[in-house]
C-alpha cells in the first residue's frame, strides 16, 4: 500500500445520499464497505465526519442563534454520524472506536492521542467526533489537527467531485481538473479546498491532501494503492 496510515475526511452532507437531510442507510453501507476493503489490506484508518446533514452551527447563527450554541449542536451532530458509521463498520466485522472531543462518556471515549494511535496500531478504525471541541472551528480543522496528532501520512478528503477544478465543475462546464497542485497555487488561485485555518495548518505541517470522489466505488482503494485518483495538494 502507498499509504500506511490515513485520515479520511467525510462531509455530513455525503451521508444524506439522495435524501434531503439525515442519514441514507444505503450510502452509509457503501462507505463502510469501502473502508473495510482498505482495512483488510492493512491500512490504518482514522475518520472525521462533519455534521451538516443534521445541523450546521453557521447556518443556525445566520438565523439569529448564538454561534457558540449552534457550534455545540453541530459537534453533537458529528457524534451522531460517528455512531452511525461505527455501527455500519461493526456489522462488517471491523473493530472501531469512537473518540469525542467533548465529554460524552456513555457513547464515546474521550479523545486521547496515545490511545488513538494504539487503536490504529491494533487495526481498529478510529472515528473522531465532536470536531475540535471548540466553537468557531470546522470539522476540516478537526481533520487536519487529528491527522497531525496521529502522524497520518495523508488526509483523504472524500467529496462528490473527483478533484479540484479551476472553478465549480457543477456550474462551469469549461472547468478543468488539476491532477496535482501546490498549497501556494491553491491560495494564489483562490480555490476552495478546505477552510483557511485547516488549509494553513496542513501546509505548515507539510501534510498532503488528496481530494477525490468518495461516491465512486473502488476510489478509496485506488488511492491507498498509489493510483493517481483525484487531486493531490502538496508542498
Amino acid at each position: 500500500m502507498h499509504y500506511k496510515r490515513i485520515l479520511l475526511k467525510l462531509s455530513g452532507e455525503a451521508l444524506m445520499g439522495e435524501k434531503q437531510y439525515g442519514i441514507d442507510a444505503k450510502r452509509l453501507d457503501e462507505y463502510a464497505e469501502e473502508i473495510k476493503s482498505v482495512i483488510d489490506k492493512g491500512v490504518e484508518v482514522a475518520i472525521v465526519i462533519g455534521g451538516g446533514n443534521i445541523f450546521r452551527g453557521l447556518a443556525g447563527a445566520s438565523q439569529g442563534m448564538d454561534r457558540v450554541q449552534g457550534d455545540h449542536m453541530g459537534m453533537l451532530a458529528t457524534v451522531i454520524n460517528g455512531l452511525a458509521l461505527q455501527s455500519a463498520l461493526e456489522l462488517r466485522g471491523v473493530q472501531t472506536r469512537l473518540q469525542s472531543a467533548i465529554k460524552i462518556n456513555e457513547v464515546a471515549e474521550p479523545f486521547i492521542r496515545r490511545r488513538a494511535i494504539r487503536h490504529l496500531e491494533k487495526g481498529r478504525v478510529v472515528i473522531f467526533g465532536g470536531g475540535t471541541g471548540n466553537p468557531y472551528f470546522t470539522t476540516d480543522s478537526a481533520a487536519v489537527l487529528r491527522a497531525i496528532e496521529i502522524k497520518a501520512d495523508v488526509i483523504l478528503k472524500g467529496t462528490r467531485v473527483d478533484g479540484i477544478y479551476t472553478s465549480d465543475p457543477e456550474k462551469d462546464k469549461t472547468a478543468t481538473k488539476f491532477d496535482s497542485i501546490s498549497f501556494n497555487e491553491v491560495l494564489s488561485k483562490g480555490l476552495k479546498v478546505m477552510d483557511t485555518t485547516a488549509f494553513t495548518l496542513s501546509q505548515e505541517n507539510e501534510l498532503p491532501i488528496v481530494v477525490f470522489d468518495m461516491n465512486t466505488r473502488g476510489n478509496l482503494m485506488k488511492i491507498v494503492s498509489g493510483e493517481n485518483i483525484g487531486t493531490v495538494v502538496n508542498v
Side-chain angles (χ1 to χ4, degrees):
M1 295 291 102
H2 188 66
Y3 298 113
K4 173 62 177 172
R5 179 178 294 168
I6 65 172
L7 188 295
L8 177 63
K9 169 62 170 67
L10 299 173
S11 70
E13 288 91 337
L15 295 184
M16 292 191 299
E18 301 302 319
K19 293 187 173 185
Q20 297 300 310
Y21 62 90
I23 299 169
D24 182 346
K26 181 174 179 290
R27 177 59 53 80
L28 191 67
D29 286 343
E30 289 172 356
Y31 282 0
E33 196 63 46
E34 291 288 301
I35 294 163
K36 182 181 186 301
S37 69
V38 299
I39 285 290
D40 288 344
K41 293 291 186 181
V43 178
E44 297 174 5
V45 180
I47 303 170
V48 170
I49 312 180
N53 57 320
I54 299 171
F55 190 84
R56 187 180 289 279
L58 198 58
S62 69
Q63 296 169 20
M65 179 180 287
D66 178 75
R67 173 67 189 272
V68 175
Q69 291 287 82
D71 280 354
H72 279 121
M73 291 171 70
M75 289 177 210
L76 292 172
T78 69
V79 175
I80 292 172
N81 284 338
L83 285 166
L85 184 58
Q86 182 179 42
S87 178
L89 286 166
E90 290 183 343
L91 283 172
R92 286 164 171 73
V94 178
Q95 287 193 332
T96 69
R97 293 293 187 272
L98 175 61
Q99 293 197 344
S100 174
I102 52 176
K103 289 185 179 179
I104 186 166
N105 296 340
E106 287 74 15
V107 295
E109 295 180 0
F111 168 68
I112 299 172
R113 175 179 171 270
R114 289 180 181 272
R115 183 181 290 176
I117 291 172
R118 187 65 179 140
H119 287 323
L120 291 168
E121 290 171 345
K122 289 185 174 182
R124 298 165 182 154
V125 172
V126 181
I127 303 168
F128 297 117
T132 65
N134 302 288
Y136 298 98
F137 288 91
T138 67
T139 49
D140 277 348
S141 292
V144 176
L145 180 61
R146 295 291 179 254
I148 295 165
E149 287 177 311
I150 64 170
K151 300 188 186 309
D153 300 322
V154 66
I155 295 176
L156 304 183
K157 181 164 182 174
T159 67
R160 62 186 182 187
V161 182
D162 64 343
I164 301 171
Y165 284 75
T166 51
S167 58
D168 188 343
E170 294 180 347
K171 298 176 181 177
D172 183 2
K173 299 302 180 185
T174 64
T176 55
K177 177 177 165 254
F178 297 98
D179 290 327
S180 63
I181 190 170
S182 71
F183 283 101
N184 287 334
E185 283 180 295
V186 169
L187 293 171
S188 65
K189 295 177 187 295
L191 304 174
K192 289 295 291 179
V193 177
M194 290 180 165
D195 69 81
T196 307
T197 303
F199 194 75
T200 303
L201 187 60
S202 187
Q203 181 182 24
E204 287 176 349
N205 288 274
E206 299 183 358
L207 181 65
I209 303 167
V210 179
V211 180
F212 73 106
D213 179 6
M214 183 66 185
N215 297 335
T216 299
R217 292 201 172 193
N219 269 359
L220 184 60
M221 176 61 80
K222 289 176 181 177
I223 289 174
V224 297
S225 298
E227 290 190 37
N228 188 19
I229 300 294
T231 302
V232 180
V233 185
N234 216 328
V235 179

